[in-house]
Amino acid sequence: MIVMEAHASQTQVRAVVQRVRQLGFTPHVSHGRERTIVGVVGHETDTDLDSLGALEGVERVVRVLHDYPLASRDFHPMDRTITLANGAVLGGGGVLMMAGPCAVEGIEQLEEAAACVAAQGVRVLRGGAFKPRTSPYSFQGLGEEGLRMLRSVADSHHLMVITEVLASEDVELVARYADVLQVGARNMQNYRLLQACGAVDRPVLLKRGLSATIDEWLQAAEYILSGGNQQVALCERGIRGFEPSVRFTLDITAVPVLKRLTSLPLVVDPSHAAGRADYVGAIARAAVAAGADGLLVEVHPRPAEALSDGAQSLDPIAFQTLVGEVNRIASAVGRAAP
Ligand code: PEP
Ligand code: MN
C-alpha cells in the first residue's frame, strides 16, 4: 500500500502508478478525503517495493498482509457507493430498498408485485428467474422468459432489476436483462461463477454463504474485485444456527464487523433469515438501526399462492407497514429514507 502525502499532486500519483506497472504489478488507486492510496496487489518476488518510497509525493510504503486487500477498508478507506441507471444509490448514507417476489412466476404476478413496491417508493425490483431450490422437484424458475418479464415490467415502473445468476455460463445472459447480479448464498464459494462476475460490467450483490465466516465471505468478494469488477456489495441473509424457530439466524453483528473490515456497501435480507413474514419487520428495523445500506425484501401480491418462499413473503399491506417503520428508524438514526 503506497500512501501518498496529503498534498501529493496528480502528476506524482501518476508517476507512482506508472512505476508500479513497470514493476509488473497492478495498481489500484483510491482517492480518500485526506490522501490518495495506491494499492499494489501481487506476489512480492525479488522486487524491491520499498524503493517506491523514494518517489516524489510518497509518504510511506506499508506492507499489508491481507487475504482480501481489494475488499478491505485499509486499501479503500472511504465508504463505496454503487449508483444505478435510475439514480438509485447503494451506500453513502441512505437506505436502499430492493423488493419483489422470491421468484418470477408469470407476467401478472410480477406486474402486481412491481406496482405494489413502486407505490411505496421502491426503485429496485427483485425476482428470481433462475432459482436455487433445495429440491430438484420444486419450481426452478422461468429462466430467460422470466428475465424478459423482469425487464419489461421493471421498465414500465422505472425500476432497476436485481436477479440471481446461478451459473458462470449464464452471467452474460443475465447481465443482458439485469441491472444488478445476485450471487446466492449457495453459490458464495462457486469460484468460477465469482470469476465470471468479476469480468462483467454489472454491480454484483454477493450473499453470505449458509455457513460462511466473514473472512471467507470477504475472500469471495475479492474474487470478483480482483477480476476487475469494482461494483460489489455484500448481503447478510442469515446463517445456519441451532435454533429451529427461524429459518436462519440473522447475524446482526456482521453489520458492525463488516463496516470495520470493508468499505463495500452492505445489504441485509431479513426475509430468508426469518422464514416467516411476521418476523421480517423486526429484523429489517434492526438492520437499518445497525447500519445496513440497504434491504432485500420478498413481497408477493398473494403469498399463499407463491411458488417459492410464500411463508416469508410480505403481502402488499404488510410491505406498506414495513416501509413506514423502516423510514421512521432510518430518520431516527440520521439516515436518508429508503
Ligand atoms: C433469494 O434471494 O431468493 C435466495 C435464493 O436467497 P439465498 O441465496 O440467500 O438463499
Ligand atoms: Mn427466496
Side-chain angles (χ1 to χ4, degrees), residues 158-175:
H158 308 290
L159 295 164
M160 298 281 98
V161 169
I162 178 168
T163 193
E164 178 160 356
V165 55
L166 269 187
S168 51
E169 58 269 29
D170 293 339
V171 168
E172 274 183 43
L173 169 74
V174 177

Side-chain angles (χ1 to χ4, degrees), residues 2 14-28 38-41 49 52 55:
I2 300 156
R14 266 201 300 275
V16 169
V17 164
Q18 202 176 4
R19 183 77 189 119
V20 167
R21 286 218 179 90
Q22 275 169 0
L23 292 172
F25 292 96
T26 309
H28 296 267
V38 182
V40 183
V41 179
L49 286 172
L52 290 162
L55 290 175

Side-chain angles (χ1 to χ4, degrees), residues 81-99:
T81 58
I82 294 174
T83 304
L84 304 179
N86 68 351
V89 180
L90 179 59
V95 180
L96 185 69
M97 179 72 85
M98 295 176 272

Side-chain angles (χ1 to χ4, degrees), residues 14-319:
R14 266 201 300 275
V16 169
V17 164
Q18 202 176 4
R19 183 77 189 119
V20 167
R21 286 218 179 90
Q22 275 169 0
L23 292 172
F25 292 96
T26 309
H28 296 267
V29 182
S30 161
H31 298 286
R33 206 177 345 203
E34 307 253 313
R35 58 189 74 230
T36 297
I37 291 172
V38 182
V40 183
V41 179
H43 295 288
E44 218 180 333
T45 47
D46 31 62
T47 322
D48 179 17
L49 286 172
D50 290 323
S51 67
L52 290 162
L55 290 175
E56 271 181 57
V58 174
E59 188 185 279
R60 63 197 143 114
V61 179
V62 188
R63 227 169 234 85
V64 187
L65 294 176
H66 248 307
D67 291 327
Y68 46 86
L70 300 178
S72 78
R73 196 177 272 285
D74 294 337
F75 254 40
H76 210 301
M78 299 276 283
D79 283 336
R80 292 177 245 197
T81 58
I82 294 174
T83 304
L84 304 179
N86 68 351
V89 180
L90 179 59
V95 180
L96 185 69
M97 179 72 85
M98 295 176 272
C102 177
V104 177
E105 298 167 6
I107 196 79
E108 276 151 33
Q109 169 249 17
L110 190 62
E111 172 55 40
E112 282 180 79
C116 152
V117 301
Q120 300 307 319
V122 171
R123 307 186 65 194
V124 184
L125 177 67
R126 67 147 288 151
F130 293 97
K131 293 305 303 175
R133 304 306 301 278
T134 301
S135 164
Y137 307 117
S138 301
F139 176 60
Q140 302 287 312
L142 298 179
E144 186 170 1
E145 184 59 24
L147 294 175
R148 233 178 269 128
M149 291 179 190
L150 272 168
R151 187 73 268 160
S152 72
V153 168
D155 285 347
S156 70
H157 291 277
H158 308 290
L159 295 164
M160 298 281 98
V161 169
I162 178 168
T163 193
E164 178 160 356
V165 55
L166 269 187
S168 51
E169 58 269 29
D170 293 339
V171 168
E172 274 183 43
L173 169 74
V174 177
R176 273 208 294 280
Y177 294 94
D179 301 291
V180 182
L181 306 181
Q182 178 177 320
V183 173
R186 288 156 191 82
N187 262 325
M188 190 205 83
Q189 286 176 308
N190 178 340
Y191 299 114
R192 295 289 289 272
L193 174 61
L194 300 177
Q195 282 166 337
C197 287
V200 78
D201 182 23
R202 283 284 177 282
V204 178
L205 183 70
L206 177 64
K207 287 192 150 196
R208 183 181 188 174
L210 273 52
S211 305
T213 64
I214 287 176
D215 189 76
E216 288 163 343
W217 188 11
L218 287 169
Q219 291 195 65
E222 192 76 11
Y223 265 88
I224 307 171
L225 293 162
S226 64
N229 187 349
Q230 302 306 305
Q231 309 248 93
V232 177
L234 303 165
C235 178
E236 164 62 40
R237 45 77 73 208
I239 50 179
R240 201 63 107 192
F242 55 79
E243 176 51 57
S245 57
V246 284
R247 191 173 176 197
F248 293 95
T249 296
L250 188 94
D251 183 8
I252 197 79
T253 60
V255 178
V257 173
L258 284 164
K259 285 290 165 193
R260 180 171 66 83
L261 297 176
T262 181
S263 47
L264 296 173
L266 174 61
V267 172
V268 166
D269 169 350
S271 304
H272 289 85
R276 280 175 60 119
D278 54 347
Y279 295 163
V280 170
I283 307 175
R285 297 194 300 271
V288 171
D293 299 297
L295 294 171
L296 184 68
V297 177
E298 288 188 341
V299 179
H300 194 286
R302 285 168 301 281
E305 293 171 20
L307 296 182
S308 72
D309 288 349
Q312 68 199 30
S313 297
L314 302 184
D315 65 22
I317 305 243
F319 183 61

